[in-house]
């Protein structure tokens, strides 16, 4: 039981250390994003995710670019859409 707790804590520590790296290898990027390795490979093969292949073999990812990619294509909340609609209506209100 004690060994299991130690292993879990070690795993958490390893994850924390990885989050401070700027460049991630393929496995680390998979773990960091929560994307399976097979799907991550498909994304790289299609060029849908930013990555580097400095010597033509190993794949590396910039953590900053991965974060940007993960946060791309954002959706607005209903409140944001409602506020924008009201602002637009007030700005474009025709005066008689």
């Amino acid at each position: 039981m004690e060994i299991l707790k130690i292993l879990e804590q070690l795993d958490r520590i390893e994850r924390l250390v990885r989050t401070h790296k700027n460049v991630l290898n393929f496995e680390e990027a998979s773990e960091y994003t929560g994307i399976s390795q097979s799907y991550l490979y498909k994304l790289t093969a299609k060029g849908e995710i930013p990555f580097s292949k400095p010597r033509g073999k190993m794949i590396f990812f910039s953590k900053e670019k991965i974060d940007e990619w993960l946060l791309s294509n954002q959706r607005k909340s209903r409140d944001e859409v409602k506020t924008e609609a009201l602002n637009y209506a007030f700005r474009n209100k025709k005066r008689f």
Side-chain angles (χ1 to χ4, degrees):
M1 191 69 158
E2 188 67 29
I3 294 174
L4 185 59
K5 285 184 178 182
I6 292 171
L7 291 174
E8 287 175 358
Q9 288 178 340
L10 182 60
D11 189 46
R12 275 190 240 125
I13 292 169
E14 286 177 345
R15 286 185 195 160
L16 285 172
V17 169
R18 285 187 191 139
T19 60
H20 292 296
K21 290 177 66 177
N22 292 327
V23 177
L24 306 173
N25 66 29
F26 192 82
E27 290 178 17
E28 292 168 340
S30 174
E31 186 175 312
Y32 178 72
T33 60
I35 297 172
S36 71
Q37 289 187 11
S38 61
Y39 187 61
L40 185 60
Y41 181 75
K42 287 178 186 177
L43 293 172
T44 59
K46 292 180 180 180
E48 294 183 14
I49 190 169
F51 69 96
S52 298
K53 263 181 137 175
R55 296 196 175 211
K57 288 188 178 187
M58 292 186 66
I59 297 174
F60 295 96
F61 300 87
S62 163
K63 186 177 170 193
E64 183 178 325
K65 288 182 181 180
I66 291 293
D67 288 342
E68 288 174 14
W69 181 80
L70 288 170
L71 296 174
S72 66
N73 203 14
Q74 292 183 1
R75 302 289 188 244
K76 295 180 181 177
S77 69
R78 289 183 185 185
D79 288 339
E80 290 172 323
V81 171
K82 191 176 184 179
T83 301
E84 284 183 11
L86 288 171
N87 289 337
Y88 178 82
F90 285 125
R91 276 195 317 265
N92 296 310
K93 185 178 178 181
K94 291 186 179 184
R95 298 191 178 156
F96 296 98

